[in-house]
Amino acid sequence: MRIGLIGTGRIGTFHAEVLSRHPAVDSLLVADADPERAAVAAARAGATAVTVDAMFTELKEFKESAEFTDGRAGDGGGPLDALVICSATASHAPLIARAARAGLPAFCEKPIALDLPGTLGALAEVEAAGSVLQLGFMRRFDAGYAEARAAVREGRLGRLHTVRAVTSDPAPPPADYLPLSGGLYRDCLVHDFDILRWVTGREVREVYATGSDAGPPMFREAGDVDTAAALLTLDDGTLATATATRCNGAGYDVRMELAGELDQLAVGLDDRTPLTSAEPEGPGAPPKPWPGFLERFAPAYEAELDAFLRVARGELANPCDGREALQALRIAEACEISRRERRPVAMAEIPGG
């Protein structure tokens, strides 16, 4: 397969290296708004650095050539079989639309866009083209979350009554990232909202959310919060809490606890969880706590890209399409309204349901 990748920041560089060693990938083209950064990432991955326009221009020229006969790029030696989008968030929706119009299967890191109109517009392009879009919610490919999903679906926990989700970053991102991030709910907790739906198989009915900007002043300056909490009521009455912070000095901590009438189960609880027991006989601080998301979820990131390549080849149903990402964003939108207006928000208030 010939794969194009746009965006060579931290996650884009990681994805490029994963794709470069995948047995199904014959060649990899990488592009970035910063050509020098693209060149460095390409050299590390054994890929070829090109411009974004070059990827689409070559594809258009190939589709218009006599070699292209069956409506699908790649069979006759065309430049691209699929596209991976890891660029800045503001470029996601335009690139998704461009890929859809080119008939190119696309994988995109979340979010599709920072607001609902942009998200719905990009999804309309994908649906009009009948194209493929897979979103990068990597927790769906983590072994612990997959086991939790199976336990819930098989009834091993009994009636589920409580779910607790935690996402804690060890240090804040750069200050200039915050105004572009969409805020803590859209940028960070959106992963918890997606995995809550995926594990439980239920929809969120109502949210009540709050946040604190008592940490570094850059959060207040950006109109964001450094710590947030949400209480979510699911459509079967299950109660879920989701908390997040940018300031967890102990390490990177992502967990989910599921409590049912028969049993309890925890995801993300291992010998690297940055959690110290206060009990005399309890476990102490881990010697090597998780430092960040790439280390914690490296196998999941590889698995989601492997799944995407199989989706692009028509071998696998899409495990996380754009409509799934839309529902997670709708929950984040409801939380932002709840935090701002200090009231419960019913999901029926949020467009796109």
Side-chain angles (χ1 to χ4, degrees), residues 32-278:
D32 193 280
D34 181 343
E36 291 186 9
R37 190 165 71 172
V40 171
R44 287 181 57 177
T48 301
V50 298
T51 66
V52 173
D53 285 339
M55 288 190 188
F56 288 100
T57 300
E58 290 175 14
L59 179 61
K60 180 176 183 292
E61 290 173 352
F62 172 68
K63 292 179 73 173
E64 292 173 349
S65 73
E67 296 178 62
F68 185 83
T69 59
D70 66 355
R72 180 179 178 274
D75 291 345
L80 287 183
D81 291 301
L83 181 68
V84 175
I85 300 169
C86 313
S87 51
T89 296
S91 68
H92 287 186
L95 288 172
I96 288 169
R98 202 170 176 182
R101 292 193 292 268
L104 198 60
F107 172 95
C108 185
E109 280 297 330
K110 63 82 190 166
I112 293 173
L114 287 179
D115 58 20
L116 284 172
T119 299
L120 291 168
L123 291 179
E125 292 270 10
V126 171
E127 291 168 6
S131 187
V132 171
L133 172 64
Q134 179 181 327
L135 265 291
F137 282 108
M138 76 292 184
R139 295 186 194 181
R140 293 182 177 220
F141 299 87
D142 177 75
Y145 285 109
E147 172 60 18
R149 185 177 195 258
V152 171
R153 303 304 179 88
E154 294 166 10
R156 283 185 261 149
L157 306 183
R159 181 187 68 85
L160 194 64
H161 52 75
T162 307
V163 181
R164 306 176 190 91
V166 176
T167 293
S168 301
D169 288 334
D176 58 2
Y177 172 76
L178 293 177
L180 309 175
S181 71
L184 192 57
Y185 291 105
R186 298 185 190 94
D187 183 52
C188 188
L189 276 164
V190 71
H191 280 288
D192 297 276
F193 302 149
D194 176 72
I195 205 64
L196 175 65
R197 296 179 62 248
W198 189 76
V199 167
T200 65
R202 312 304 308 190
E203 297 294 343
V204 174
R205 187 175 67 206
E206 183 181 82
V207 310
Y208 185 79
T210 188
S212 169
D213 61 3
M218 64 181 182
F219 290 96
R220 293 186 291 281
E221 293 164 3
D224 196 6
V225 294
D226 59 80
T227 303
L231 172 64
L232 307 104
T233 303
L234 306 191
D235 57 12
D236 64 348
T238 300
L239 297 181
T241 59
T243 63
T245 184
R246 302 283 200 185
C247 306
N248 197 57
Y252 182 72
D253 187 10
V254 171
R255 284 177 285 121
M256 175 180 273
E257 300 171 5
L258 301 108
E261 291 182 335
L262 298 180
D263 203 356
Q264 293 191 105
L265 189 65
V267 179
L269 184 61
D270 58 23
D271 61 2
R272 299 191 69 180
T273 303
L275 192 64
T276 302
S277 174

Side-chain angles (χ1 to χ4, degrees), residues 112-123 186 325-334 337 349-353:
I112 293 173
L114 287 179
D115 58 20
L116 284 172
T119 299
L120 291 168
L123 291 179
R186 298 185 190 94
L326 170 63
Q327 299 315 314
L329 177 61
R330 289 180 66 243
I331 300 169
E333 291 286 323
I337 294 171
E349 298 180 43
I350 309 301

